[in-house]
Amino acid sequence: IVQHTRTQEELAASNERFRNLVEATSDWVWEVDENAVYTYVSPKIRDLLGYEPHEVIGRTPFDLMPAEEADRVRCEFGAIAAGHQPFAMMVNTNRHKDGRAVVLETSGMPIFDAQGAFRGYRGIDRDVTHRMSSEERIRKLSRVVEQTANAVMITDVKGTIEYVNPKFCEISGYEASEVVGRNPRLLKSGEQSPEVYSEMWEALRTGRPWMGEFHNRRKDGSFFWCLQSVSAIRNEREEITHFVSVMED
């Protein structure tokens, strides 16, 4: 009896630790049966999707998604579930109870009973809406830089080139691989007054933007004039980490 009581106490303590962990985590913990029907939903769903746990029990993940997204995820998840395979970081769009879209990142592990029969999945959902939105903004900015009509060059604080866009290659005649890791002085024509470069670096070292005209040399030796603006890129501590140069032929 003493051993049985101790076992029960240890089991209760283990369950309490699990419950505290599940309810304290920033992720939504869930379980579904072999038909993908929710059998357990942690309280975190209130913060992620606005539902009470009892409102979701008995429903499927696909019931919480827009129709087209539900069809896509059902197809993707069906192939995984058919093989009783674990999965990780499956990105899917859900509808919050108030109607707004919430992007979740879902990971799960298959559940098997004592006889080895498949009984469903246990997993977590993480809200990645902000991250996905940030990544989309970065992709848009990247496309702008890649497709702009002006040449763009980014260097570190020592002036070593880290990036050039396609327009830079078109204007200068160099391939990106030929200039990354080198200094912009490779464009010097020898026709420019040294004072212009000194003036530019003096402004940049103090964090001020600079604009002026350069007489540069292309890879094939021909010359071209460009209007160039250079400004500092700062990190969250306001430290200068890079310089970005925009050139118009």
Side-chain angles (χ1 to χ4, degrees), residues 38 101 130 147 167 203 207 220 222 225 229 245 247:
Y38 284 115
H130 178 71
Q147 299 171 16
K167 191 65 178 181
D220 64 8
S222 62
W225 282 97
S229 62
S245 172
M247 294 175 281

Side-chain angles (χ1 to χ4, degrees), residues 109-180:
M109 293 290 294
I111 303 171
F112 300 94
D113 63 19
Q115 287 72 45
F118 174 67
R119 293 304 182 193
Y121 275 88
R122 178 182 297 120
I124 61 173
D125 272 290
R126 176 169 297 171
D127 187 352
V128 294
T129 307
H130 178 71
R131 191 193 79 194
M132 297 299 290
S133 177
S134 297
E135 290 176 357
E136 179 58 24
R137 285 198 297 272
I138 291 171
R139 283 192 290 270
K140 288 179 181 177
L141 289 172
S142 177
R143 288 194 291 269
V144 168
V145 173
E146 290 284 320
Q147 299 171 16
T148 184
N150 293 329
V152 178
M153 174 175 61
I154 298 175
T155 73
D156 65 15
V157 291
K158 295 180 180 179
T160 301
I161 299 172
E162 294 188 359
Y163 169 83
V164 292
N165 73 342
K167 191 65 178 181
F168 175 94
C169 299
E170 179 185 327
I171 292 176
S172 68
Y174 288 97
E175 296 294 329
S177 59
E178 296 178 293
V179 298
V180 170

Side-chain angles (χ1 to χ4, degrees), residues 23 39 51-52 61-62 89 97 106 122 126 145 160 169 175 177 182 187 191 193 198 201 203 206 213 217 236:
E23 294 186 1
T39 57
Y51 292 98
E52 291 297 324
F62 317 113
M89 295 183 289
K97 191 175 182 179
T106 307
R122 178 182 297 120
R126 176 169 297 171
V145 173
T160 301
C169 299
E175 296 294 329
S177 59
R182 300 178 65 181
L187 298 176
E191 303 285 326
S193 167
S198 300
W201 280 108
T206 59
E213 292 183 347
R217 185 193 301 270
E236 62 277 4

